[in-house]
Amino acid sequence: MLTPRHGAILKLLEERGPLSVAALADTLEVSSETLRRDVRALADAGAVVRVHGAVGLAGQVGEAPFHRRMRENAGPKQAIARAMAAQIADGDSLMLDTGTTTSFLARELLGHRRLTVVTNSSDIARTLATVNGNRVFMAGGELRGDSGASLGASALAFIRAFAVEHAIISAGAVDASGVMDFDLQEAEFARAVLACGARRVVVTDASKFGRRGFIRVSGFDVVDEIVTDSAPPPDLAAALALAGTRVLLAAADHNGQ
C-alpha cells in the first residue's frame, strides 16, 4: 500500500533524480532506518531501484546527469527559450554552448528557417541540423559522455573562426560579480562564445541567481542581455544596471512541467 511518505519519496526522486538514503531521510525528516523500510517496500513494488548506494525511480538510475537536468525547472526554461527564440529571425547566425536552457532553445527554433548555428552540443546539433535549410557547424574535440559537449583546445579554436549575430550561453551560477560555472572547460568555452557574438546573451532561470560557481565566466560588461523567468534580486539587479546589461523577463509558461 502506497503511503503519503512513499508518494513524497517518489516525487523527490522524480524532481532530483537518484538520491542517497541519507539525503532522502534528511529531506523527509525521518530516520535512516524508517527510510530504508520505505525504500524496501517501494523496491518490492518495482517503483524504485537501488544501486551504488543511491535510490532512483525504475528506469532512471544510470540516466546521464544532463538528461536529469533537462527535467529540472523545465517550465521556466521552456519559457526562457521561447522568449529568446522570438528575438531570432529566419536567416540569423547564432552560437550556442551546451546547457539545458540552450537545448530547450534549440527546440523552440525548430520553426525557424535558414539558421546558421555554431555549437559544441551534440544535442543542439542533432536538433537543428538537416531541417528548414539550416547550416550547423559542430565544434570538434573530446566529447563528454554526460552532456554530449565537445570541449578542449580544438573546440575553442574551431569556434573562434566564426563571427555570429547572437552568442548565447547558459549559466551555472549568477551573482552580482558576474556569470560563473562549475567546470573549467565549460567556462572557457562559454567565455569564448561571448567573444564571437555581436549580441551577447545569457539564458538562465532564476534558480541560478545568488549562486557562486567555482570558475568565473565573465563580468556583465561583456553581456548585453540576460533572459530569465523572474526579476533578479536587488544586488544583482543593481550590478546589471551598472553594466548596462538588459534583463528580459520571459512570460510564465503555464503548460510547463
Side-chain angles (χ1 to χ4, degrees), residues 114-165:
R114 302 183 311 281
L115 297 174
T116 299
V117 180
V118 184
T119 187
N120 70 327
S121 164
S122 57
D123 177 74
I124 292 171
R126 284 194 306 268
T127 300
L128 292 175
T130 73
V131 296
N132 298 341
N134 296 334
R135 301 177 70 200
V136 175
F137 296 86
M138 173 77 190
E142 181 182 1
L143 199 66
R144 289 276 181 88
D146 60 343
S147 64
S150 179
L151 295 165
S154 57
L156 292 171
F158 180 83
I159 66 165
R160 284 171 177 153
F162 294 87
V164 297
E165 291 163 283

Side-chain angles (χ1 to χ4, degrees), residues 1 29 41 52 54 70 84 104 106 111 114-116 118 122 124 177 182 195 200 204 213 228 235 239 253:
M1 178 178 173
E29 298 181 339
H52 304 309
M70 285 290 285
M84 185 67 236
F104 277 116
R114 302 183 311 281
L115 297 174
T116 299
V118 184
S122 57
I124 292 171
S177 70
F182 299 92
R200 303 157 299 181
T204 183
T228 186
D235 62 333
D253 186 347

Side-chain angles (χ1 to χ4, degrees), residues 57-225:
L57 296 179
Q60 185 185 70
V61 172
E63 179 184 44
F66 181 82
H67 295 127
R68 290 203 301 271
R69 294 200 307 273
M70 285 290 285
R71 293 197 306 272
E72 296 171 358
N73 299 320
K77 290 174 183 178
Q78 288 166 340
I80 292 163
R82 191 172 300 118
M84 185 67 236
Q87 308 293 312
I88 297 170
D90 288 349
D92 278 0
S93 61
L94 56 150
M95 188 176 292
L96 301 168
D97 73 348
T98 297
T100 55
T101 308
T102 47
S103 279
F104 277 116
L105 174 57
R107 287 152 177 76
E108 292 295 331
L109 290 170
L110 282 170
H112 287 57
R113 304 184 62 81
R114 302 183 311 281
L115 297 174
T116 299
V117 180
V118 184
T119 187
N120 70 327
S121 164
S122 57
D123 177 74
I124 292 171
R126 284 194 306 268
T127 300
L128 292 175
T130 73
V131 296
N132 298 341
N134 296 334
R135 301 177 70 200
V136 175
F137 296 86
M138 173 77 190
E142 181 182 1
L143 199 66
R144 289 276 181 88
D146 60 343
S147 64
S150 179
L151 295 165
S154 57
L156 292 171
F158 180 83
I159 66 165
R160 284 171 177 153
F162 294 87
V164 297
E165 291 163 283
H166 310 276
I168 305 165
I169 66 167
S170 53
V174 182
D175 73 1
S177 70
V179 182
M180 288 164 287
D181 212 317
F182 299 92
D183 182 281
L184 178 61
Q185 287 188 317
E186 290 182 4
E188 288 175 338
F189 191 88
R191 194 178 305 123
V193 168
L194 291 176
C196 296
R199 177 190 184 200
R200 303 157 299 181
V201 184
V202 175
V203 290
T204 183
D205 67 272
S207 71
K208 307 300 192 329
F209 292 160
R211 287 188 187 179
R212 283 196 61 83
F214 301 130
I215 300 111
R216 179 178 170 83
V217 174
S218 75
F220 297 127
D221 56 320
V222 296
V223 176
D224 298 307
E225 190 169 339

Side-chain angles (χ1 to χ4, degrees), residues 33 41 155:
E33 182 180 349

